[in-house]
Amino acid sequence: MLMAEESHITFRNITKTFPGVLALRNINLEIKHGQIHALLGENGAGKSTLMNILYGLYHQDSGEIFLDGEKYALNTPKNATAHGIGMIHQHFMLIPNFTILENIMLGQTSPKPPKLEKDYFRKEILKVSAKFGIEVDLDLLVEEVSVGMQQKVEILKALYKGAKLLILDEPTSVLTPQESQELFKMLHDLNNKGTTIIFISHKLNEVMQISDTISVLRDGEVVATLPKSQTSQEELSRLMVGRNVNNKYDKASEPIGEEIFRIDNISLHDPHNKGRFLLKDISIQISKGEIVGIAGVDQNGQEELAEIICALRAATFGNLYMCRHDVTNSTTRQLIELGLSFIPSDRRNQGLVMDFSIAENTILETHYQKPFTRGFSLQPQVISDYAEMIVKEYDVRTPSINVPVKNLSGGNQQKVIIGRELSRNTRFLLVMQPTMGLDVGAIEFVHQRLLKARQGGMAILMISTDLEEVRKLSDRILVMYEGKIIGQADSTTSIEKIGMMMAGFFQ
Amino acid sequence: MSETILSPGSQTSIKARFFVFARNNLGIISVLISLLAIVLALLIGAILIAIAGINPWEAYSFLLKGSFGNRYGFGETLTRFIPLLFASLSFSIAYKSGFFNVGAEGQIYIGAIGALLVGAYISNLPPVLHITLTLLAGFVFGALWAGIAGLLKIFLGSNELVNTMMLNYVAIFLVEYLIHGPLKDPHLFIYQSSPILSSARLPIILPKTPLHAGFLIALASIVIVFYILYRTPIGYQMRTVGANLRAAKYAGINIVGVTLVAIITTGGLAGLGGAVELMGAQFRMVAGFSPGYGYDGIGVAIMGRHNPVGIVLAALLFAIIRVGTGAMQRGAGVPFPLLSVIQGLIIIFVIASSYLISKLSETTIGGRA
Ligand SMILES: Nc1ncnc2c1ncn2[C@@H]1O[C@H](COP(=O)(O)OP(=O)(O)OP(=O)(O)O)[C@@H](O)[C@H]1O
Ligand SMILES: [Mg+2]
């Protein structure tokens, strides 16, 4: 057994550039055995890049990595696995229509080729899951299980392949608070059994809760490495952002104006089970200058409700009204033209075209309108100017607006969407998880933007699993549980009480 | 562009140095790899030719001479280039829109039939009008033929790849039936259609060669296609649907409408290719009217990476190979099966090299999935 104080991974003078970007500059960092080491840093600071280099997805321009004190020269994913390094990405890499068992088996050599030997793998995987206390049902399809469960699968998969070092890139950004707590318990157990963990997060409270050591990256450099006991959330956020972050906003209360959007008795049948409702009798009215928050544990009908509002799915019963016009049968484009903006929860699949440039992504809904199109032609200059404006206004860190958005860091991708959706003539904004993956400074910025929009008379419906966020911003809070609105609250209601409601306990 | 940061003191592994070098010189390396691929294919070809008892040097000199060493060969190569360009544009515009049309071959045949009906059976039209109508007929017939697979996809969700492929056989046999029956030229004993009227023929633009005005139509088409794709709202929508269907829906883009436009243009372009070939080069429908232009077009589009310059270069390469190997056969007596092998080798090597290049740029620059 190695001593806890011995180095597991040492980065020495790691530098990495992308065209036009210096992503990492002379990184020196030591990860000790058996520790939970957190990496903090602004969006685009280089956290994912550093981890991708360790895992072998990218190769550094210069510098070296040492593993257990020995030079680890050939960093490729295959070699990483062979050396006990496992990585859980910011975005999962599972195959949705395979079962969990098949996903974990994938890429393993069967003991008796060409036969698959599923039963052998089942036994082996169950052994690992028993050893680490991770329970999963191997026969479910990945697409059927919650995000939290998919993450467990990813972790189990890494452990099955023999990981002694687990890298988790923003594991909690897709989880509910309850799921996060479960994850932390699991990570603690793993850690107690000797697994080293590198943990990337933007949530300072989580970092303070779970890690032993914390390193802060800024602009591609390590600016500090501190033991948890010697630091505080305030200090960390100052180190990250370079200034104090304000997270108390004054919400000038504005007299609530006329009704902008109304959801009237919407119900939705479960397409697979006609007797069941995914949504039942939902009625919400959102007025001018008001933020209505919907709190709830993920997968309680929020996604379906959002799709119905945006005309991406038809409700079984009920009506929708925008500015008192019946829009139940309108198309998505008609709604957008009436003044709907939508910030979806899954930016990679719903909100962005990853292969398109930033500029192309900023006109996703409006490309055919003036001034972006004149006559038959798109106007490249107008579009560039517009994209430049959004990039500047929303602080998207990028060398140019012609970079494909897939090359942006996660948080900067989110900023592109937010900038796009808030830069239109919007009357009604539907936002889901607006600050997912953003750093503390950017969160503050986006929150201020939403409040400013509210001040300007926008009607906002915010669906978020982040209870803090909902409480901070909303004028009214509705709690959703199993497809129903089961309670009302406001920013004075205690977190505990809202939490109880979210878990299905009425009143 | 990007500066290299190699701090002088740090020891850097050979591999890392190679990566940095490769990244900084990616442009040159890509060109070198492509050239190397062709040279390699030709070398293997040379060995095979030598085994067949023919002097490879002499054979290859026929390849070059035949394809652009003299005026006639040059014109012939550019004539070959025309249908290849249409077929590859057809494939690319559909591919960019998320529609896999491997049915250009059939659409070329049906487009040519449309052109034949108008070009051979409607008379007494002034040439400009007659040519325009004949081209239009080719476009429309090709679009309708692609439309069969398109509607099956839109309304039944059935896979267009399989359907367009199967429709190729239907089209080829349908044409065979037509020239044996209703469209057979009554004055001939062999099975061919009547020729199109001279008012519907495209003029020769390079005298003493077969090169006809279809070349100019092809060049105009490439400009129009890429203008549509990259400079118009409908093209933007097509690319969005092709790149991320889900995001396109969320953005309010009319998926069915956009897909229809894609189907009409992909089929129409292939049909136009058939019409132009008929009006400029062959004048009659015969069995084997297209020696696989539709399939070559897919190769051209992939090799050209769906961008205009790449497609033009790739179509030229294909045309040179096809024409030049013909000259090898006539001049040096290289047997036909061996020619197919050499053609195949070049195509496979070039396509493989383009994957190698993209892999190299992915690992050195780092790409995200
Ligand atoms: N494949 C790539 N091509 C070009 N630039 C890239 C690529 N990957 C990352 N970058 C750039 O490198 C920098 C660091 O990105 P990285 O993803 O490591 O940030 P991060 O710290 O993980 O940020 P976030 O918290 O937003 O996820 C960013 O400026 C990003 O735009
Ligand atoms: Mg990241």
Side-chain angles (χ1 to χ4, degrees):
Chain A
M1 193 70 198
L2 285 147
M3 293 293 298
E5 280 308 298
E6 274 176 56
S7 157
H8 195 157
I9 296 287
T10 306
F11 294 100
R12 190 165 298 160
N13 290 325
I14 298 283
T15 292
K16 170 76 185 166
T17 55
F18 292 108
V21 184
L22 179 52
L24 297 174
R25 182 203 309 258
N26 267 322
I27 295 280
N28 285 295
L29 184 64
E30 188 182 39
I31 312 286
K32 296 214 172 85
H33 262 285
Q35 286 223 322
I36 300 187
H37 195 128
L39 284 187
L40 269 178
E42 278 187 295
N43 297 127
K47 306 176 294 292
S48 299
T49 303
L50 185 64
M51 291 303 110
N52 283 334
I53 287 175
L54 175 57
Y55 190 63
L57 292 175
Y58 297 156
H59 201 272
Q60 69 271 31
D61 298 349
S62 63
E64 292 169 328
I65 302 171
F66 293 85
L67 191 141
D68 289 330
E70 285 183 31
K71 190 159 156 181
Y72 173 64
L74 189 63
N75 41 339
T76 60
K78 212 167 152 194
N79 211 21
T81 307
H83 283 83
I85 301 171
M87 180 157 179
I88 318 296
H89 292 270
Q90 215 159 344
H91 310 283
F92 301 151
M93 311 240 166
L94 298 171
I95 300 176
N97 52 0
F98 274 27
T99 65
I100 292 176
L101 175 67
E102 288 163 343
N103 264 288
I104 299 179
M105 285 169 56
L106 200 71
Q108 304 288 321
T109 358
S110 162
K112 277 190 220 143
K115 283 206 283 181
L116 266 180
E117 295 294 328
K118 276 197 186 183
D119 289 330
Y120 162 83
F121 282 109
R122 181 188 302 277
K123 257 193 269 153
E124 291 296 305
I125 294 168
L126 286 176
K127 263 190 233 162
V128 177
S129 90
K131 177 175 166 205
F132 291 102
I134 301 173
E135 276 172 42
V136 295
D137 181 343
L138 293 178
D139 295 311
L140 292 177
L141 292 179
V142 162
E143 63 194 359
E144 294 172 345
V145 304
S146 71
V147 187
M149 182 55 82
Q150 293 183 18
Q151 192 167 54
K152 273 193 192 171
V153 174
E154 287 271 22
I155 294 174
L156 183 58
K157 183 173 179 176
L159 292 171
Y160 175 69
K161 291 196 210 159
K164 295 187 187 59
L165 168 75
L166 265 189
I167 306 166
L168 295 113
D169 193 350
E170 293 190 40
T172 58
S173 68
V174 288
L175 300 185
T176 62
Q178 288 87 334
E179 284 174 325
S180 299
Q181 290 310 320
E182 267 177 54
L183 172 70
F184 292 160
K185 202 181 145 303
M186 189 161 96
L187 293 183
H188 260 299
D189 289 349
L190 288 178
N191 188 234
N192 287 337
K193 296 194 171 91
T195 311
T196 307
I197 290 168
I198 303 180
F199 175 83
I200 300 180
S201 174
H202 290 293
K203 297 180 185 158
L204 297 174
N205 54 346
E206 292 178 358
V207 168
M208 290 302 284
Q209 179 190 345
I210 187 169
S211 42
D212 303 310
T213 307
I214 300 161
S215 292
V216 180
L217 265 72
R218 196 156 100 210
D219 287 337
E221 287 179 294
V222 179
V223 292
T225 295
L226 304 156
K228 176 176 72 179
S229 52
Q230 287 174 25
T231 183
S232 66
Q233 289 196 30
E234 290 71 33
E235 185 189 8
L236 289 176
S237 79
R238 212 166 37 242
L239 282 168
M240 266 171 72
V241 190
R243 64 181 165 87
N244 279 318
V245 176
N246 169 17
N247 51 15
K248 268 259 166 274
Y249 319 121
D250 34 69
K251 213 165 39 176
S253 64
E254 179 104 332
I256 285 172
E258 76 258 30
E259 167 191 308
I260 298 287
F261 201 89
R262 183 148 57 91
I263 299 160
D264 189 23
N265 262 313
I266 290 284
S267 294
L268 176 69
H269 271 305
D270 184 342
H272 305 297
N273 175 2
K274 283 280 183 265
R276 230 183 113 230
F277 280 96
L278 291 177
L279 294 173
K280 183 95 180 99
D281 297 332
I282 304 255
S283 292
I284 306 169
Q285 179 195 336
I286 307 107
S287 302
K288 196 169 170 173
E290 166 181 57
I291 300 182
V292 177
I294 295 186
V297 177
D298 215 6
Q299 302 212 311
N300 273 283
Q302 296 98 319
E303 198 70 40
E304 288 81 3
L305 180 63
E307 286 182 357
I308 288 173
I309 293 175
C310 298
L312 294 163
R313 189 197 266 257
T316 318
F317 307 112
N319 289 20
L320 301 171
Y321 299 89
M322 185 140 173
C323 302
R324 302 197 178 273
H325 294 294
D326 191 332
V327 291
T328 316
N329 297 316
S330 298
T331 62
T332 306
R333 169 157 298 176
Q334 285 165 341
L335 287 169
I336 291 172
E337 286 175 351
L338 284 171
L340 168 81
S341 274
F342 178 34
I343 299 173
S345 57
D346 180 350
R347 58 175 167 247
R348 289 165 59 89
N349 292 312
Q350 301 166 343
L352 294 169
V353 182
M354 299 302 277
D355 288 325
F356 278 15
S357 69
I358 297 178
E360 285 176 307
N361 270 289
T362 57
I363 53 165
L364 206 53
E365 294 101 338
T366 48
H367 58 272
Y368 62 93
Q369 296 169 1
K370 273 188 183 161
F372 305 122
T373 292
R374 271 184 206 285
F376 291 111
S377 301
L378 292 170
Q379 302 294 314
Q381 191 56 46
V382 179
I383 295 166
S384 303
D385 291 345
Y386 183 69
E388 292 286 2
M389 186 273 289
I390 288 181
V391 161
K392 191 149 164 269
E393 187 99 334
Y394 288 85
D395 189 28
V396 181
R397 307 274 170 91
T398 173
S400 123
I401 55 161
N402 298 317
V403 169
V405 288
K406 67 177 172 193
N407 286 353
L408 295 182
S409 78
N412 283 303
Q413 292 170 356
Q414 183 74 5
K415 291 190 211 164
V416 172
I417 300 186
I418 292 179
R420 177 182 77 209
E421 298 300 318
L422 290 183
S423 302
R424 285 212 296 278
N425 277 331
T426 303
R427 284 195 213 157
F428 173 54
L429 172 69
L430 172 61
V431 342
M432 302 187 72
Q433 325 289 7
T435 54
M436 187 168 70
L438 293 186
D439 65 54
V440 281
I443 289 175
E444 182 201 4
F445 175 78
V446 167
H447 285 170
Q448 299 288 12
R449 281 295 165 144
L450 290 173
L451 289 174
K452 199 170 134 196
R454 162 185 176 274
Q455 220 71 358
M458 206 182 276
I460 300 175
L461 182 63
M462 181 171 79
I463 301 178
S464 175
T465 51
D466 183 344
L467 199 45
E468 283 286 345
E469 178 167 85
V470 172
R471 270 183 83 233
K472 246 188 255 175
L473 297 178
S474 315
D475 297 290
R476 287 188 289 137
I477 299 169
L478 304 172
V479 182
M480 203 161 163
Y481 180 73
E482 291 193 338
K484 294 194 267 287
I485 301 288
I486 62 155
Q488 278 240 22
D490 57 38
S491 49
T492 59
T493 316
S494 72
I495 291 228
E496 288 69 29
K497 193 161 170 214
I498 301 177
M500 291 288 276
M501 287 201 268
M502 281 168 65
F505 299 105
F506 301 75
Q507 257 66 59
Chain B
M1 297 255 279
S2 66
E3 37 167 354
T4 315
I5 290 108
L6 270 174
S7 44
S10 73
Q11 318 110 317
T12 309
S13 67
I14 306 272
K15 193 173 171 201
R17 278 189 186 280
F18 169 72
F19 268 87
V20 173
F21 174 79
R23 198 199 50 188
N24 290 340
N25 299 289
L26 211 55
I28 304 166
I29 292 180
S30 309
V31 174
L32 284 180
I33 290 180
S34 306
L35 289 179
L36 200 68
I38 296 177
V39 170
L40 218 58
L42 289 177
L43 268 178
I44 299 178
I47 295 171
L48 295 177
I49 293 173
I51 291 175
I54 299 164
N55 178 352
W57 183 247
E58 190 191 319
Y60 280 142
S61 69
F62 274 106
L63 190 153
L64 287 185
K65 258 189 270 165
S67 56
F68 52 86
N70 59 51
R71 183 185 178 99
Y72 187 86
F74 181 68
E76 201 186 348
T77 301
L78 291 188
T79 312
R80 264 288 171 130
F81 167 89
I82 302 167
L84 290 175
L85 193 69
F86 278 110
S88 61
L89 286 179
S90 161
F91 183 77
S92 277
I93 200 166
Y95 173 85
K96 284 277 178 194
S97 317
F99 186 86
F100 287 90
N101 176 18
V102 293
E105 184 75 1
Q107 291 144 23
I108 286 173
Y109 273 90
I110 298 297
I113 287 289
L116 178 72
L117 293 178
V118 174
Y121 295 97
I122 300 180
S123 47
N124 297 327
L125 291 177
V128 173
L129 182 64
H130 202 183
I131 286 175
T132 312
L133 287 179
T134 309
L135 291 172
L136 194 68
F139 188 95
V140 171
F141 271 63
L144 288 175
W145 196 251
I148 300 173
L151 295 182
L152 287 172
K153 174 174 171 129
I154 292 175
F155 291 110
L156 301 175
S158 90
N159 184 308
E160 74 271 20
L161 200 117
V162 176
N163 289 334
T164 50
M165 174 66 94
M166 292 197 301
L167 281 167
N168 285 342
Y169 298 104
V170 179
I172 291 168
F173 287 123
L174 182 65
V175 167
E176 201 125 332
Y177 159 74
L178 289 175
I179 58 177
H180 278 75
L183 297 182
K184 181 180 175 299
D185 185 341
H187 309 298
L188 292 180
F189 289 110
I190 46 170
Y191 294 109
Q192 292 190 346
S193 77
S194 303
I196 56 166
L197 303 175
S198 56
S199 58
R201 295 186 184 187
L202 294 170
I204 298 289
I205 56 170
L206 188 63
K208 299 202 204 81
T209 77
L211 185 62
H212 55 84
F215 184 68
L216 304 176
I217 302 175
L219 292 186
S221 298
I222 196 167
V223 174
I224 294 171
V225 162
F226 282 94
Y227 190 87
I228 290 177
L229 272 177
Y230 287 91
R231 283 294 162 83
T232 66
I234 182 67
Y236 178 93
Q237 291 172 11
M238 289 162 89
R239 288 186 298 120
T240 309
V241 169
N244 186 346
L245 185 65
R246 199 88 186 274
K249 276 187 194 149
Y250 275 65
I253 290 172
N254 176 353
I255 309 292
V256 170
V258 168
T259 307
L260 268 177
V261 173
I263 291 162
I264 290 171
T265 46
T266 184
L269 281 164
L272 198 56
V276 166
E277 174 74 6
L278 184 78
M279 295 159 70
Q282 300 196 30
F283 312 126
R284 292 175 191 264
M285 281 310 284
V286 295
F289 172 75
S290 160
Y293 292 134
Y295 298 113
D296 273 3
I298 299 172
V300 170
I302 293 174
M303 195 189 282
R305 312 215 131 196
H306 309 288
N307 78 50
V309 178
I311 284 181
V312 168
L313 291 178
L316 268 179
L317 178 69
F318 266 74
I320 291 171
I321 296 172
R322 295 297 190 215
V323 172
T325 48
M328 272 163 78
Q329 186 181 20
R330 286 188 305 271
V334 179
F336 182 74
L338 193 48
L339 293 175
S340 306
V341 171
I342 295 170
Q343 293 177 357
L345 277 174
I346 297 177
I347 293 164
I348 290 171
F349 270 63
V350 171
I351 291 182
S353 76
S354 80
Y355 279 103
L356 188 70
I357 291 166
S358 63
K359 184 89 189 140
L360 188 70
S361 81
E362 239 169 59
T363 35
T364 53
I365 297 191
R368 291 191 180 186

